[in-house]
Amino acid sequence: MTNQYYEQQPADLATLAGQFAQRFHLLAQNIEHVIRGKREAIDLALICLFSEGHLLIEDVPGTGKTTLARSIAASIDAEWRRIQFTPDLLPSDITGVSIFNQAHQKFEFHHGPVFANIVLADEINRASPKTQSALLEVMEERRVTVDSEPHPVPRPFLVVATQNPVDMDGTYPLPEAQLDRFLMKISVGYPDHVSEVEVLKGMPTGPQVERLPVVARASDVGGMIDFATRIHVADPVYDYIVALVAATRTNPHLRLGASPRGSLALLRAARVRSAAQGRHYVVPEDVKALAIPVLAHRLILTPEAELRERTAQDVLAEILAGMPVSQAA
């Protein structure tokens, strides 16, 4: 094969990539039994899972944000917890707390709901900034430190947070530092006409989250995560990612561009997308397809751009359109 993005690899790597793609699509099809007509959102959520990233879903009520997170958890034989964020929620309600055991005369740590494979942080912007920040350490370092003692969370570990862009009274917008912890920010959106008709026809006897079969184990997911790190990335792809992220730092419509964490996130996600398509090497199309969900929420517009009702997605799309991609030889 003559391709500058391809490097000769052991024959079993191509076979493993095919197996990865098969299991990835099996998971996506299973979730589609509940989330109709939203394959792109499902694929992005699974890419987050296998990239060991976290997902922020922002959309209007009733579009299936919570159902998507529950469907992922139901499809995997793994532990999951739901945390309903409210103004009176405390950090210890998420991470856990040390309680003195009189029988043993010592403090014992009682794990909070964050100690699960998949954690649904429902309506995260309804909790106070102090409570929101309780997730910062565990999302980045996959551990919780209480009384100077680190407590690791299980693997795989995925935080799926939801928030509504409407009814903002009494909410606390996520700060930029916490937004940067999320690998992707997506919206599910309304279903198309045919999909919504199918939803209506299927209720109340149609597929429900509780009835979804388990199609993967936690150990399977861990193996797929490890395999994704072996996906080959050629120098032109590294150059393309760095040039793309650097362009966000010099764009006149952006007050703040993406950091190196954004570059790393884009690389991790691109590796998983290539494996999900049965390839053991990354091509620039993988990067382009993921640039907006991975980078847009990390960008801050200038006041002038906001006045013109520009969005970070619009600016990023212009950057992508104007950036040349070297073609395969």
Side-chain angles (χ1 to χ4, degrees):
M1 180 178 182
T2 305
N3 190 322
Q4 64 176 326
Y5 308 117
Y6 173 83
E7 184 178 79
Q8 188 64 41
Q9 299 286 347
D12 64 331
L13 204 59
T15 303
L16 289 172
Q19 294 173 355
F20 185 107
Q22 184 178 12
R23 191 174 293 276
F24 184 97
H25 292 298
L26 184 63
L27 274 167
Q29 289 170 0
N30 196 54
I31 297 169
E32 270 193 307
H33 289 139
V34 175
I35 307 293
R36 301 293 183 89
K38 293 298 174 184
R39 182 57 182 263
E40 182 180 1
I42 293 170
D43 285 349
L44 290 174
L46 291 177
I47 288 172
C48 261
L49 173 66
F50 295 117
S51 302
E52 288 196 293
H54 306 290
L55 179 65
L56 177 61
I57 308 176
E58 182 179 82
D59 216 329
V60 296
T63 52
K65 301 185 298 294
T66 303
T67 304
L68 175 58
R70 292 181 60 204
S71 299
I72 295 173
S75 300
I76 300 170
D77 185 17
E79 189 174 4
W80 83 285
R81 293 286 184 272
R82 174 178 177 172
I83 307 171
Q84 182 64 53
F85 278 64
T86 55
D88 60 346
L89 192 72
L90 299 175
S92 58
D93 295 330
I94 299 173
T95 59
V97 64
S98 292
I99 298 177
F100 187 72
N101 187 321
Q102 291 187 348
H104 298 89
Q105 290 295 299
K106 66 177 183 180
F107 282 94
E108 294 180 351
F109 179 65
H110 290 247
H111 293 74
V114 78
F115 287 89
N117 297 110
I118 299 176
V119 178
L120 171 59
D122 214 4
E123 295 188 288
I124 189 172
N125 57 333
R126 295 204 175 276
S128 67
K130 181 179 180 180
T131 301
Q132 292 175 4
S133 65
L135 287 172
L136 287 177
E137 179 190 15
V138 71
M139 288 174 68
E140 183 70 16
E141 302 179 25
R142 286 172 168 72
R143 67 180 184 184
V144 172
T145 303
V146 178
D147 297 333
S148 302
E149 185 72 24
H151 302 273
V153 294
R155 190 178 189 237
F157 178 67
L158 170 69
V159 173
V160 180
T162 70
Q163 63 180 14
N164 299 326
V166 296
D167 188 21
M168 301 299 289
D169 291 341
T171 63
Y172 304 88
L174 292 175
E176 286 75 13
Q178 187 155 354
L179 281 173
D180 204 36
R181 293 293 200 279
F182 288 97
L183 183 82
M184 292 186 196
K185 178 182 176 183
I186 68 170
S187 63
V188 178
Y190 293 116
D192 57 44
H193 180 85
V194 174
S195 299
E196 193 160 1
V197 168
E198 290 180 358
V199 171
L200 296 179
K201 287 182 177 180
M203 294 298 290
T205 58
Q208 298 177 1
V209 175
E210 294 79 8
R211 300 177 186 173
L212 282 179
V214 173
V215 295
R217 298 168 297 178
S219 58
D220 297 329
V221 174
M224 293 173 73
I225 290 171
D226 291 336
F227 172 74
T229 63
R230 299 170 57 192
I231 297 297
H232 174 68
V233 182
D235 286 343
V237 176
Y238 284 121
D239 291 337
Y240 182 68
I241 292 174
V242 172
L244 175 61
V245 172
T248 67
R249 301 168 189 163
T250 58
N251 189 281
H253 302 296
L254 297 174
R255 180 160 54 91
L256 180 68
S259 68
R261 181 184 283 144
S263 305
L264 292 169
L266 192 52
L267 175 64
R268 284 157 48 201
R271 277 186 157 128
V272 174
R273 185 181 187 273
S274 64
Q277 298 199 351
R279 281 184 279 104
H280 57 279
Y281 57 94
V282 177
V283 296
E285 285 69 25
D286 296 319
V287 178
K288 293 181 69 173
L290 296 168
I292 290 178
V294 172
L295 296 180
H297 64 285
R298 307 172 195 268
L299 310 178
I300 300 179
L301 294 166
T302 61
E304 294 78 12
E306 290 179 349
L307 285 173
R308 296 191 184 100
E309 298 185 347
R310 302 292 302 278
T311 66
Q313 290 86 345
D314 295 336
V315 175
L316 198 50
E318 290 177 2
I319 293 174
L320 285 167
M323 183 160 294
V325 179
S326 56
Q327 300 298 316

